[in-house]
């Protein structure tokens, strides 16, 4: 009917040819290039050295809620993965954050960051400073992992494709422009420099391999865009709560 009238309409993804792996990878990279939170005004201000101690403390206290939720999100994904081999890869993410008898883990390192910026462990653990917008955006991320396909949940973690550059810059900036922060508290970010590339190498490989149809590929791109919104909304809420 529509074609008879010559009206142009978008074919649904089901009917479109899948992207090649390179085209698919480029679609994912493009999401990060346009929407990753390194471009958020709060991060831009941080990298200009313009944040007060109050704003840095607010950011660390609120980001704790994200950090403690990451292993919960990863445990949800772990329960959905299609094979033992995939679980053997993914389980390392949980250990990276929760730690074990050998390593303290990222949550403990984040609490040390809290102490380095002048927050007590108790006020961070009690989530005294966590604002509603942070709680809601982070909970939306965990619920996304619960509700969506395992490939969409894995794809949403691919924001970390763009984090090593941000982490490297952040460590330098915090050391140089925020000398009041005890540098020993930056260990969390230093650990991510090796953990994130290892995580994204696996996540990108399985997303490119297992998203076979154009619809699955588009859902993975949409999942990454959703996660960029999660990170952006977190900073919107922190920026509003801790404006100068
Ligand atoms: O510290 C971060 C972290 O452990 C993770 C896990 C990963 C995921 O599974 O979604 N994403 C992520 C990120 C961390 N730090 C953020 C930052 O800017 O400090 C970046 C964030 C990400 O890029 O998704």
């Amino acid at each position: 009917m529509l074609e008879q009238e010559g009206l142009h309409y978008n074919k649904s993804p089901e009917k479109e040819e899948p992207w090649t792996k390179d085209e698919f990878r480029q679609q994912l990279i493009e999401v990060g290039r346009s929407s990753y939170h390194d471009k958020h005004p709060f991060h831009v201000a941080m990298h200009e050295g313009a944040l007060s101690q109050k704003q840095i403390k607010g950011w660390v206290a609120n980001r704790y809620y994200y950090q403690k939720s990451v292993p919960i999100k990863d445990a949800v994904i772990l329960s959905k993965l299609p094979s033992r081999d995939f679980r053997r890869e993914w389980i390392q993410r949980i250990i990276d954050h929760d730690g074990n008898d050998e390593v303290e883990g990222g949550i403990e390192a984040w609490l040390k960051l809290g102490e380095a910026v002048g927050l007590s462990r108790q006020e961070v653990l009690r989530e005294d400073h966590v604002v509603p917008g942070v709680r809601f955006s982070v909970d939306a991320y965990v619920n996304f992992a619960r509700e969506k396909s395992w490939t969409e949940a894995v794809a949403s973690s691919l924001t970390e494709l763009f984090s090593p550059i941000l982490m490297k810059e952040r460590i330098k900036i915090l050391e140089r422009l925020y000398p009041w922060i005890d540098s020993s508290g930056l260990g969390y970010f230093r650990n991510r420099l090796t953990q994130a590339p290892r995580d994204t190498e696996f996540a990108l490989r399985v997303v490119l391999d297992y998203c076979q149809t154009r619809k699955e590929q588009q859902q993975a791109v949409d999942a990454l865009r959703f996660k960029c919104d999660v990170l952006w909304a977190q900073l919107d809420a922190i920026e509003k709560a801790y404006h100068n």
Side-chain angles (χ1 to χ4, degrees), residues 36-37 63 66 73 97 141 159 167 170 188 227:
Y36 190 53
H37 69 168
R63 270 290 309 272
Y66 177 82
K73 177 273 298 186
H97 285 89
Y141 184 28
T159 40
M167 294 301 121
R170 181 182 293 164
Y188 178 83
K227 172 62 178 316

Side-chain angles (χ1 to χ4, degrees), residues 36-38 43 59 63 66-67 70-71 73-74 77 90 93 96-97 110 141 153-154 156-164 166-167 170 188-189 192 195-196 199-200 227 231 234-235:
Y36 190 53
H37 69 168
D38 58 333
H43 272 158
W59 173 70
R63 270 290 309 272
Y66 177 82
Q67 298 307 141
V70 166
K73 177 273 298 186
D74 286 332
I77 294 177
W90 203 264
R93 288 168 175 248
D96 286 345
H97 285 89
W110 197 271
Y141 184 28
V154 170
S156 68
S157 75
L158 286 174
T159 40
E160 272 210 303
L161 284 168
F162 320 105
S163 85
L166 180 58
M167 294 301 121
R170 181 182 293 164
Y188 178 83
F189 303 116
R192 292 312 297 171
Q195 290 169 351
D199 288 348
T200 51
K227 172 62 178 316
L231 295 174
Q234 235 189 133
L235 289 178

Side-chain angles (χ1 to χ4, degrees), residues 53 57 112-120 123-124 180-182:
Q53 179 165 7
K57 288 171 76 171
K112 287 190 167 66
L113 173 63
E115 290 174 303
V117 301
L119 292 162
S120 72
E123 66 187 296
V124 176
W180 54 269
I181 301 175
D182 181 340

